[in-house]
Amino acid sequence: MSAVVSKATKRRSGFLRVIQGSPIMGPLVALILAMIFFTTQSDKFLTGANFSLIMQQVMVVGTLAIGQTLVILTGGIDLSHGMIMALSSIITTGLAVNSGVNPILAVLIGMGVCIAFGLINGGLVTAIGLPAFIVTLGTLNIAFALVRIYTTSTVTNLPPILLFLGNTFRVVGTEFTYGSVVMIILFIIAWYVLRSTPAGRSVYAVGDNPEAARLAGINTNRVLLGVYTIAAITYGIAGLLLMSRTGVGDPNAGGNGNLDSITAVVIGGVSLLGGRGHIMGALIGALIVGVFRNGLQLMGIPSIWQGLVTGILVIAAVSVDYLSHRGK
């Protein structure tokens, strides 16, 4: 009898070691359990059409989460990313529709705005040494003001090329958007860079111990400036995905993007203390947020309760992260 108990205990401890040893195993198990739960609550949940809908809802938040992950891995945080996305999309659509600018040129200008904000964020963090929280809180308000100065009206009648990523293709009877594929490709690129290149390893090193990274010969300022700039580019791409999904340029967009993308990163196991986490964890975290919101909606739960659940998930994930660091 004791031998049986001992084997069962070893299996449980082995399972826990697997979860603890991989930063994405915990979030992955949570995602699977959430999907099983909502499958039992609604027969519409586990369908191809609903999965496609979840991917469409996740693609914007997931793309924002890529840039946010890069910043958090360096030990910072970017509070401005949702409004940078909104500013980029409203300028792009406004130029293309109201000013008659070529849509491709309008996209490039919108991306240029994102790059400018990324350089400002990274420059203030590196050149002056200001905390990322303060810098990005300031640029959040600047971007919000610029959106309102530029327009307070929704831009409609977008040219077809700006809506392309919202078009769908069929796989095994289920339609998926090209935007969802773009998000997946961006995650794969980010995973490869962080895992297999010196630049990616430098990001982890700076987040883990910036002084040790500097002494090891890493130009920490260059890494931080590059991270904030590349992150801002992903915000611009998220803006393209947003306008392709909604079909408009919305000056009110971006309000939920900040909370949702940070939530996705934290739930995905990326440490807010920097230097630890997996980019694919952010994708799983974004899927967890999408699954919970979709599942609760199918159950008829009011949106205010959906926000409550999201808040609880964030607190739980951050608590686990801090307790883990304290234990080590």
Side-chain angles (χ1 to χ4, degrees), residues 105-289:
L105 179 58
V107 169
L108 294 177
I109 294 173
M111 295 299 295
V113 170
C114 292
I115 292 173
F117 268 89
L119 290 172
I120 291 172
N121 285 339
L124 291 174
V125 168
T126 57
I128 304 180
L130 293 176
F133 179 89
I134 299 301
V135 171
T136 57
L137 181 61
T139 50
L140 161 67
N141 287 281
I142 292 172
F144 177 80
L146 290 176
V147 169
R148 290 297 186 272
I149 291 171
Y150 188 79
T151 184
T152 57
S153 303
T154 301
V155 181
T156 58
N157 300 318
L158 271 57
I161 192 170
L162 294 183
L163 304 176
F164 172 76
L165 295 176
N167 294 337
T168 61
F169 62 95
R170 187 174 292 274
V171 177
V172 194
T174 301
E175 292 187 343
F176 293 93
T177 61
Y178 291 106
S180 301
V181 177
V182 168
M183 179 194 71
I184 298 297
I185 291 174
L186 289 175
F187 268 103
I188 293 173
I189 293 173
W191 167 78
Y192 174 78
V193 171
L194 289 172
R195 179 180 180 271
S196 303
T197 67
R201 289 189 286 272
S202 296
V203 170
Y204 279 99
V206 170
D208 185 51
N209 191 324
E211 182 60 20
R214 186 186 67 79
L215 293 175
I218 296 174
N219 189 328
T220 56
N221 286 345
R222 182 184 300 173
V223 171
L224 290 172
L225 187 62
V227 161
Y228 280 94
T229 304
I230 293 172
I233 293 174
T234 66
Y235 308 155
I237 297 173
L240 295 176
L241 298 178
L242 177 66
M243 70 180 74
S244 69
R245 180 172 182 264
T246 61
V248 299
D250 185 4
N252 298 312
N256 293 329
N258 281 1
L259 177 60
D260 285 352
S261 61
I262 294 175
T263 299
V265 175
V266 172
I267 292 176
V270 179
S271 175
L272 286 174
L273 300 177
R276 191 177 68 172
H278 198 292
I279 188 67
M280 289 304 176
L283 173 59
I284 296 172
L287 289 172
I288 289 174
V289 173

Side-chain angles (χ1 to χ4, degrees), residues 14-26 328:
F15 178 71
L16 290 175
R17 282 197 298 270
V18 170
I19 292 179
Q20 294 171 350
S22 174
I24 66 172
M25 282 303 298
K328 291 184 177 181

Side-chain angles (χ1 to χ4, degrees), residues 14-89:
F15 178 71
L16 290 175
R17 282 197 298 270
V18 170
I19 292 179
Q20 294 171 350
S22 174
I24 66 172
M25 282 303 298
L28 183 60
V29 170
L31 175 62
I32 294 172
L33 292 176
M35 294 180 66
I36 292 173
F37 172 76
F38 288 120
T39 300
T40 63
Q41 300 300 310
S42 173
D43 56 0
K44 296 180 181 179
F45 180 79
L46 201 62
T47 62
N50 191 56
F51 181 70
S52 174
L53 178 61
I54 292 174
M55 291 300 294
Q56 292 177 48
Q57 295 170 338
V58 163
M59 66 182 184
V60 175
V61 172
T63 304
L64 285 174
I66 295 173
Q68 188 67 246
T69 299
L70 296 176
V71 173
I72 290 178
L73 283 175
T74 63
I77 193 167
D78 191 346
L79 302 179
S80 65
H81 58 306
M83 288 314 303
I84 293 176
M85 174 190 71
L87 178 62
S88 171
S89 63

